[in-house]
Amino acid sequence: TLVGVINADQQLNNDDFKSQERTFDLLTQVVGRSGRGKNKGTAVIQTLTPENHVIRQAQNQDYDSFFDNEIVIRKAMVYPPFCDICSVCFVSENEIKALNASRNFLNSLKSAASDKYNDVKIIVLGPMPPRLSKLNNKFRYRIIIKCKNNKRFRSMLSELLISFGKDKRYADVTVSPDINPENLI
């Protein structure tokens, strides 16, 4: 009947736009499972920010207030459900090549979006290294594209990826797009 969450702030302050949703989800689940049947439960949440609205809403299992706050933030920041997210990751054993490949791709993306695909509305972030910028001795950079995942966007992305694949300068750079990834970490 006793459940504890240690350092709830760690998930709350993650790099991903879904971090508040994930924290709320975890905490409401814990609070909801602390008691069963006739046995009343207690949930203890360790936090450095007990006044945080997400922690308060989870404590009270106030789904409506959480949604009302979260949807305003997501709309203002143009995050799902107001857009789709496309993460394009560049991986190489050579950090400079991975960075240059991502910059080259970004330039091609900007050119395509201002010319042939000027009807495709996008917001581009990056290139930047993800939190885990080096994995298995390979460096990673990524570009995040806020978009509408429709046929025109996919055509543009496909054309850019095919063109990138033909560029011999980046033969040893792996590029991988991910539409609406589970997380952006």
Side-chain angles (χ1 to χ4, degrees):
T1 60
L2 175 64
V3 179
V5 176
I6 310 242
N7 197 7
D9 305 284
Q10 184 175 9
Q11 175 66 33
L12 183 63
N13 298 314
N14 235 336
D15 294 349
D16 192 1
F17 75 94
K18 293 181 184 177
S19 63
Q20 293 195 18
E21 178 183 350
R22 287 193 174 109
T23 301
F24 180 82
D25 183 47
L26 172 70
L27 294 177
T28 55
Q29 191 174 57
V30 165
V31 169
R33 292 180 186 230
S34 63
R36 288 286 184 229
K38 296 178 185 176
N39 300 324
K40 188 172 179 165
T42 302
V44 177
I45 301 170
Q46 179 195 37
T47 177
L48 297 171
T49 57
E51 70 285 350
N52 182 284
H53 72 276
V54 174
I55 292 172
R56 288 281 179 212
Q57 291 160 345
Q59 172 189 357
N60 298 321
Q61 296 192 321
D62 188 350
Y63 297 91
D64 292 335
S65 291
F66 174 77
F67 176 83
D68 291 344
N69 288 337
E70 185 69 9
I71 203 71
V72 167
I73 292 167
R74 290 198 186 185
K75 184 174 185 178
M77 299 298 292
V78 190
Y79 279 120
F82 301 99
C83 75
D84 291 293
I85 302 265
C86 176
S87 174
V88 184
C89 193
F90 302 83
V91 181
S92 176
E93 290 179 357
N94 181 315
E95 182 176 15
I96 300 302
K97 272 201 174 178
L99 177 58
N100 287 340
S102 64
R103 287 178 176 164
N104 183 278
F105 188 88
L106 175 63
N107 290 335
S108 297
L109 175 63
K110 285 179 178 178
S111 178
S114 65
D115 187 29
K116 181 178 177 182
Y117 292 96
N118 64 1
D119 59 316
V120 176
K121 303 299 179 218
I122 59 173
I123 299 171
V124 182
L125 306 171
M128 66 196 124
R131 182 184 284 180
L132 296 173
S133 61
K134 187 176 181 184
L135 190 62
N136 297 327
N137 288 325
K138 293 183 179 178
F139 295 91
R140 304 179 327 144
Y141 280 85
R142 71 171 173 206
I143 294 171
I144 295 173
I145 307 166
K146 295 179 182 182
C147 61
K148 182 168 176 80
N149 182 19
N150 58 24
K151 186 175 182 178
R152 284 289 287 163
F153 174 76
R154 289 189 303 275
S155 293
M156 178 177 71
L157 184 62
S158 176
E159 190 174 297
L160 291 170
L161 291 169
I162 289 168
S163 176
F164 179 85
K166 292 177 181 177
D167 192 333
K168 295 188 187 315
R169 295 175 296 171
Y170 305 116
D172 57 344
V173 176
T174 302
V175 61
S176 55
D178 191 359
I179 302 283
N180 293 320
E182 185 59 34
N183 63 57
L184 291 174
I185 296 176

